[in-house]
Amino acid sequence: MLWGLFWTNLLGTIYGYQWYAKQLVYTAGEMNLGFLLPFVPDSPTASLFFTLFLWFLIRDKRRGAEGAGRSRVSPWRGFVEVFALVTSFKYGIWAVAMIWAAAYQGEAPVWQDWMLTFSHLGMAAEALLYAGLYRYRWLSILPVACWVVLNEAVDYGFGVYPWLPGVLEDDLMEIASFTLVLSLAGIALAVLLWWFRARRVPLQGGRKAV
């Protein structure tokens, strides 16, 4: 199952970056904002980090139960786990909300909208379904929190947010606010999952996981 999810997420990541190809070219060329390219492809980067998280799980499985059960993880793995959780939850919900907000305002859904709806709901769902396997420490939440908030400032401050259906362009302020709320909700989710796990999993010497 892990391998199936790994390849599904990897292929989805590749497709997602291809989806953003025109916007990346436009941002670098027409807008002359090439230095902001890392902030442009949101969902593919989220699925890329979830793919990395799945690779860690596959590696743990190969190493056996003893290696997989350790409470402490490297700072890099902790960052990957939190980034995968927060951004997959956030953009999984965000993309579906944008698609159907446009439909509500009169833009007829096409087959790609249905495909994107199910794939992004899957992103949000898998981020939650694997909650019991995250092992990040609370310090890993801080850089991710900074990144996602900075991402909103860059997206809506410089105009490099994901291209929206035309009917939503006049709702940009509301969309920016909604996106920020999702970011804060994702960060809060990461904090809550860490807190519940820290109360539940003692380390050696009776200390809690931090």
Side-chain angles (χ1 to χ4, degrees):
M1 182 177 178
L2 282 177
W3 275 115
L5 280 174
F6 174 85
W7 289 112
T8 299
N9 278 271
L10 180 60
L11 293 174
T13 298
I14 296 170
Y15 176 81
Y17 281 116
Q18 290 178 335
W19 180 276
Y20 273 91
K22 290 183 179 179
Q23 185 173 356
L24 289 167
V25 172
Y26 181 84
T27 301
E30 298 298 322
M31 299 180 71
N32 197 28
L33 294 174
F35 63 98
L36 295 180
L37 289 182
F39 294 94
V40 174
D42 295 327
S43 293
T45 303
S47 62
L48 172 63
F49 273 79
F50 199 86
T51 303
L52 290 173
F53 165 62
L54 291 172
W55 171 250
F56 283 128
L57 295 183
I58 291 169
R59 189 186 64 177
D60 288 345
K61 189 175 181 180
R62 286 181 169 182
R63 290 179 174 178
E66 182 178 352
R70 291 177 299 180
S71 294
R72 291 186 180 273
V73 296
S74 69
W76 165 242
R77 174 166 177 169
F79 177 82
V80 168
E81 290 186 356
V82 180
F83 197 99
L85 166 63
V86 173
T87 59
S88 295
F89 173 80
K90 169 187 172 181
Y91 293 117
I93 296 173
W94 185 90
V96 175
M98 294 305 103
I99 290 169
W100 296 102
Y104 179 78
Q105 294 194 31
E107 181 158 311
V110 295
W111 72 268
Q112 290 99 330
D113 294 323
W114 290 100
M115 179 269 292
L116 291 171
T117 294
F118 288 117
S119 62
H120 282 80
L121 285 176
M123 285 176 58
E126 67 185 3
L128 297 175
L129 288 173
Y130 278 80
L133 298 179
Y134 299 129
R135 289 162 35 215
Y136 59 85
R137 303 173 68 192
W138 72 268
L139 285 173
S140 298
I141 301 173
L142 298 179
V144 176
C146 292
W147 172 267
V148 295
V149 173
L150 176 62
N151 194 60
E152 309 320 329
V154 170
D155 275 2
Y156 297 97
F158 288 88
V160 295
Y161 53 85
W163 284 347
L164 297 166
V167 295
L168 296 182
E169 287 292 345
D170 58 348
D171 299 314
L172 197 56
M173 290 299 297
E174 291 80 3
I175 291 172
S177 298
F178 174 67
T179 308
L180 180 59
V181 168
L182 284 178
S183 291
L184 297 177
I187 295 166
L189 175 63
V191 171
L192 284 173
L193 290 177
W194 164 79
W195 187 85
F196 283 121
R197 178 164 45 83
R199 306 280 75 75
R200 189 177 70 245
V201 182
L203 296 178
Q204 292 180 353
R207 291 160 40 228
K208 298 292 185 178
V210 295

